[in-house]
Amino acid sequence: MCGIVGYTGPREAYPIIIKGLKRLEYRGYDSTGVALQNGGLKVYKKKGKVAELEDSIVGKDLHSNVGIGHTRWATHGEPSDRNAHPHQSSSGRLAMIHNGIIENYNQLKKELINKGYTFSSDTDTEVLLNFIEEIKKNNNCSLEEAVRVALKRVTGAYVILLLDSEDPETIIAARKGSPLVIGVGKGEHFLGSDASPMLEYTKEVVYVNDYELAIVKPDELILKNLGNEKITPYVQKLDIELAAIEKGGYEHFMLKEIFEQPQTIYDCLRGRLDATEGTITMSGIQQYAEQIMNANRIVMVACGTSWHAGLIAEYIFEELCRINVEVEYASEFRYRNPVINKGDVIIAISQSGETADTLVAIENAKAKGAIILGVVNVVGSSIARMSHAGAYTHAGPEIGVASTKAFTAQLAVLTMIALKIGYIKGTIPHKRYMHLLKELQEVPEKVAWTLKHSDNIRALAEKYKDARDFLYLGRGYNFPVALEGALKLKEISYIHAEGYPAAEMKHGPIALVDENLPVVFVATKDSYHEKVISNMQEIKARKGKVISVITEGDDASTALSEDVMIVPEADEILAPMLSAIPLQLLAYYIGVVKGCDVDKPRNLAKSVTVE
Ligand code: F6R
C-alpha cells in the first residue's frame, strides 16, 4: 500500500521520481505527489494516477536535485488533492510522505489540537509530521532527534521520508513494518518501497530494517537505531530484472497475491482484534451495533467471489449471532423488487467497491430505509461512500484479475463483525468467543503454513490439466469454498468446473462421475466430516478421481483420495480462510501449465462497473 520514492544527488530528481512512481503504481494509485528542494520546498500533488500529476504540472519549474514522491493507496481520508502526500508541516518547513498506518494518530492529534494545531487533511501522516515538528520546536533539537523521539510514541506501521527546507541536501527516512530500500550510487542515493525505481542507476542496495532511521545525503548514508546508535549499512548486490521486481519476484500478480495472504490477513486483523483483552475494535460497526443486533434479517449483497464470502458469512452469522441471513446476487436483488423493511441490514461485500450491480442494489435498499454496511477493499470507493458504515478489508491493491487475497480478507472482516455482534448480543458463550479470537489471531500463521506445504500442487496441475470438467464438493462452511474453487479454475484455466454441496451431488451431478472426472473435495475436519467421507466413498465407488483438501494427519480422507492438499487444524468457522488457499494455487498452476494469461483472463475485468 502506497509507493514511495526519493533521490538526492547531482541528477535531476523529478524524472527519476516520476519514473519510479510509475513502477510502484501497483501499490496504489489514488493520488500522486512530489516535493522538490528548489530554493525552498515545492510541493505538487493531485488525486489520481502519476500521469495525471505529470499532465497537471507541465510548464512548472521542476528543477531540483533532491526530492521525494508518493503514490497513494488511501487508508485515512478519501482519495483527494488535500489528502495526497507529501504533506507539509504547519510552519511549511518540513515535507513528508508516509506508507503505513499510524494507529494512535487520534491520540496524537488531540494533543496537537490542544496546542493550537489545525489540519488541512484527514490523514494520519499530517498528524505525525506536525508531531515531529512540535517535538523539534519544543526540544530545540535536530530533525533527526525529533523523528527519533516521535517514533518512540508511535504505534502502527510506517515508512516515512522527510525533507527540511533548511537542510536541502538531506532526506531523513525511517521504517517499521513497511518496506524501504536505499540504493547506493556514486555521490547519490535513491530511496524506494522496492528497488524498481533505482534499478537502472545502481544495483547496490541497503534494505532498511524495522526501527532504523537513515540520514541520507548525496555522498553519505548514516543508519541508526532509535536509540541513536550507528549501524553499519549492509550493502547487497541486486541480481534481478526490472520486470521481475515489479511483481515482487513472482511470475504473476496472482501468485504474489496468493502468497501475500499471511500478511494481508494480519493487516486486516491488526489494530482491531485483541485476543488477550477479548476485544474487537471496529468503530463503524460499533456505531450500528444495536441496529445489527436487533435486525430481523441481514442481507449480504455481492457478486462473484465476494458473493462466496457472503455465503460463508451466512453460516457464521447464523451460528454466532442467531440472526436470519440471506445472501443475494446483487444483479438479481436490484431488479427483483425485494421486500425491504426499515431497519433491515444490508452488508455489501466488494473488493473494488465499484461493482455496478452491488452499488445500485444498495442504493435501492438505502432509499427504502435499510442500513447499509460496506465490507470493501478500496478506500473511498463508491460502495464505501454509499454505505452508512462498514469496515475496510485492508488487503492492499489486488492487481491479478482473479480475486484471492481480497476474498480471505473479506472472510476475516466478516468473521470479526459476527464475533463482535454475537458477543454483544450474548449469543456466543464467553469461552467460545475467547477461543475463536485466539484462533482468528493464529490464522495468518496457519495460512503461511499452508503455503509452505503446497509444493505438490504444481505437480497436481500437470496431472489434471487435460481434464475437460471438474466437480468441487463441500459441506457446511466448506460448501461455498467449493464454489469459489470452481470459479477460480473456470476463470483462470477456462476448464469447466461446478461447485456443489457434497450431499446434493446424489440429486444429479453424480451422473457426471466416471474415471475421467476429477472431483475436488473440500474436506477439512469439522462437524460434517464423517458425512463428507461417505460422499467420497460414493465418488470412489464410481471411479471418480478424488482430490481432497484435508486437515493435516487425516488418514481416513487420505486413504480415499488419489491426491491431497493439506491445511493445518482450525475451528470450522475459520477453516475457509485456509481451505481456499490450495484451491487458489491449483487454479493458478493449471492456468499456468495450460499457457493462460492468469493475471488477465480473457473477457474479464478487475472492476465490473457496467451492469
Ligand atoms: C473472481 C472475481 C469476481 C469478483 C466480482 C465482484 O475472481 O474477481 O468474481 O469477485 O466481480 O467484484 P468486487 O468484489 O470488486 O465487487
Side-chain angles (χ1 to χ4, degrees):
M1 283 179 234
C2 300
I4 55 146
V5 184
Y7 175 77
T8 176
R11 302 180 205 243
E12 281 297 328
Y14 178 72
I16 293 172
I17 291 168
I18 287 294
K19 206 197 281 176
L21 289 178
K22 284 186 178 162
R23 289 189 191 146
L24 292 174
E25 261 190 327
Y26 74 90
R27 301 181 65 83
Y29 36 80
D30 295 329
S31 61
T32 314
V34 296
L36 303 169
Q37 293 279 18
N38 182 4
L41 284 171
K42 301 280 182 307
V43 174
Y44 304 103
K45 54 187 189 170
K46 193 162 175 47
K47 181 180 167 184
K49 300 204 172 76
V50 180
E52 289 168 62
L53 174 77
E54 266 187 299
D55 289 347
S56 73
I57 54 178
V58 171
K60 302 248 186 233
D61 175 13
L62 299 168
H63 164 71
S64 172
N65 302 115
V66 182
I68 55 177
H70 188 266
T71 175
R72 179 169 188 246
W73 192 83
T75 55
H76 288 66
E78 59 171 12
S80 62
D81 290 354
R82 70 188 192 93
N83 285 332
H85 301 211
H87 291 281
Q88 278 188 275
S89 60
S90 281
S91 72
R93 179 177 160 173
L94 308 177
M96 186 169 100
I97 55 177
H98 166 219
N99 168 28
I101 298 174
I102 306 300
E103 285 165 10
N104 60 339
Y105 86 104
N106 244 331
Q107 170 65 32
L108 302 178
K109 192 169 184 174
K110 272 187 211 146
E111 288 177 26
L112 290 168
I113 289 171
N114 286 340
K115 288 187 169 124
Y117 279 80
T118 55
F119 294 89
S120 53
S121 77
D122 307 317
T123 64
D124 50 349
T125 308
E126 194 188 7
V127 173
L128 176 59
L129 176 60
N130 281 314
F131 187 56
I132 291 169
E133 176 152 90
E134 171 66 13
I135 292 170
K136 180 165 165 40
K137 222 166 48 189
N138 258 356
N139 298 6
N140 195 19
C141 63
S142 67
L143 178 59
E144 174 200 331
E145 180 61 19
V147 169
R148 211 173 4 254
V149 173
L151 293 183
K152 284 185 190 156
R153 281 281 315 276
V154 158
T155 55
Y158 55 80
V159 163
I160 53 170
L161 301 191
L162 273 146
L163 294 181
D164 178 353
S165 59
E166 293 187 19
D167 183 7
E169 288 205 320
T170 306
I171 300 173
I172 302 239
R175 82 152 259 181
K176 184 201 151 202
S178 296
L180 174 61
V181 185
I182 300 179
V184 183
K186 286 196 172 58
E188 60 184 350
H189 285 102
F190 306 81
L191 299 98
S193 298
D194 66 32
S196 63
M198 57 200 77
L199 220 50
E200 61 262 63
Y201 310 105
T202 180
K203 293 267 163 138
E204 306 216 320
V205 298
V206 174
Y207 289 95
V208 178
N209 294 313
D210 278 352
Y211 303 107
E212 287 180 357
L213 187 140
I215 301 109
V216 191
K217 298 173 188 285
D219 45 16
E220 193 178 23
L221 167 62
I222 300 170
L223 212 54
K224 293 184 176 178
N225 61 23
L226 293 187
N228 200 21
E229 292 160 337
K230 278 198 178 175
I231 298 163
T232 310
Y234 173 52
V235 181
Q236 302 186 37
K237 214 161 178 87
L238 287 175
D239 182 23
I240 21 176
E241 295 310 314
L242 195 54
I245 207 164
E246 283 170 332
K247 289 176 186 144
Y250 287 93
E251 203 180 335
H252 296 100
F253 282 111
M254 183 179 174
L255 189 63
K256 174 169 169 273
E257 287 158 6
I258 291 172
F259 273 83
E260 274 174 355
Q261 289 175 105
Q263 185 64 42
T264 50
I265 299 173
Y266 173 77
D267 286 344
C268 179
L269 304 178
R270 183 160 53 94
R272 290 170 165 166
L273 176 75
D274 187 332
T276 317
E277 292 294 319
T279 54
I280 293 171
T281 310
M282 297 174 112
S283 51
I285 303 302
Q286 183 68 47
Q287 213 185 326
Y288 285 91
E290 190 80 19
Q291 287 97 321
I292 306 171
M293 217 168 77
N294 297 318
N296 282 328
R297 61 169 190 163
I298 295 175
V299 186
M300 310 269 173
V301 178
C303 302
T305 290
S306 299
W307 183 77
H308 295 154
L311 284 180
I312 297 169
E314 175 183 25
Y315 286 77
I316 300 176
F317 272 76
E318 292 196 346
E319 169 74 19
L320 300 182
C321 309
R322 305 307 300 144
I323 302 173
N324 170 32
V325 177
E326 286 160 31
V327 188
E328 298 280 357
Y329 284 118
S331 54
E332 291 296 316
F333 189 70
R334 65 180 283 195
Y335 286 117
R336 218 188 50 221
N337 193 16
V339 178
I340 295 168
N341 296 311
K342 200 165 187 304
D344 278 353
V345 171
I346 311 282
I347 302 188
I349 309 165
S350 176
Q351 187 288 127
S352 62
E354 301 296 344
T355 300
D357 284 326
T358 311
L359 183 60
V360 178
I362 60 170
E363 214 166 30
N364 295 345
K366 195 174 181 182
K368 292 180 180 169
I371 293 162
I372 314 294
L373 303 176
V375 172
V376 174
N377 196 36
V378 177
V379 174
S381 55
S382 304
I383 293 173
R385 280 182 278 123
M386 175 64 66
S387 304
H388 289 108
Y392 284 116
T393 46
H394 293 313
E398 195 178 59
I399 296 165
V401 163
S403 191
T404 52
K405 63 177 181 172
F407 175 67
T408 47
Q410 286 165 347
L411 294 181
V413 165
L414 290 161
T415 307
M416 281 192 284
I417 299 175
L419 280 164
K420 187 170 177 66
I421 298 300
Y423 192 62
I424 303 173
K425 196 175 169 196
T427 41
I428 317 174
H430 180 73
K431 202 167 155 206
R432 174 124 178 86
Y433 172 76
M434 291 304 283
H435 166 76
L436 284 171
L437 254 54
K438 185 175 162 291
E439 280 232 357
L440 184 54
Q441 197 162 48
E442 289 166 2
V443 167
E445 249 171 70
K446 291 186 178 179
V447 172
W449 187 99
T450 306
L451 289 165
K452 257 190 215 127
H453 291 77
S454 65
D455 284 353
N456 66 324
I457 298 180
R458 196 181 241 284
L460 294 191
E462 286 287 351
K463 183 168 167 186
Y464 294 105
K465 69 176 191 307
D466 296 321
R468 206 189 56 184
D469 308 281
F470 270 71
L471 194 56
Y472 283 71
L473 301 174
R475 294 178 89 123
Y477 296 95
N478 277 327
F479 154 55
V481 178
L483 294 181
E484 174 61 6
L487 176 63
K488 286 286 93 82
L489 188 71
K490 273 186 270 211
E491 60 184 332
I492 295 305
S493 72
Y494 316 142
I495 294 176
H496 169 247
E498 293 282 342
Y500 264 92
E504 186 66 19
M505 152 195 92
K506 293 189 285 296
H507 302 282
I510 200 162
L512 295 170
V513 178
D514 63 16
E515 66 281 6
N516 297 315
L517 185 76
V519 182
V520 180
F521 274 91
V522 193
T524 52
K525 277 206 169 152
D526 56 17
S527 45
Y528 309 82
H529 191 58
E530 279 182 13
K531 299 200 180 303
V532 175
I533 293 267
S534 305
N535 298 140
M536 271 186 205
Q537 303 266 23
E538 289 155 7
I539 295 290
K540 208 171 153 62
R542 286 157 184 87
K543 298 196 165 39
K545 291 191 167 66
V546 174
I547 309 163
S548 308
V549 177
I550 60 160
T551 306
E552 188 199 13
D554 174 4
D555 297 334
S557 298
T558 305
L560 289 170
S561 307
E562 179 137 343
D563 292 289
V564 295
M565 299 175 273
I566 53 170
V567 297
E569 190 138 12
D571 191 285
E572 63 183 3
I573 284 182
L574 309 172
M577 280 183 270
L578 305 176
S579 50
I581 309 282
L583 302 185
Q584 295 170 347
L585 284 168
L586 184 66
Y588 169 79
Y589 284 122
I590 292 181
V592 169
V593 297
K594 285 179 76 85
C596 303
D597 183 350
V598 294
D599 275 342
K600 297 189 192 75
R602 70 182 178 207
N603 305 339
L604 295 175
K606 187 69 194 152
S607 176
V608 185
T609 51
V610 290
E611 59 173 282

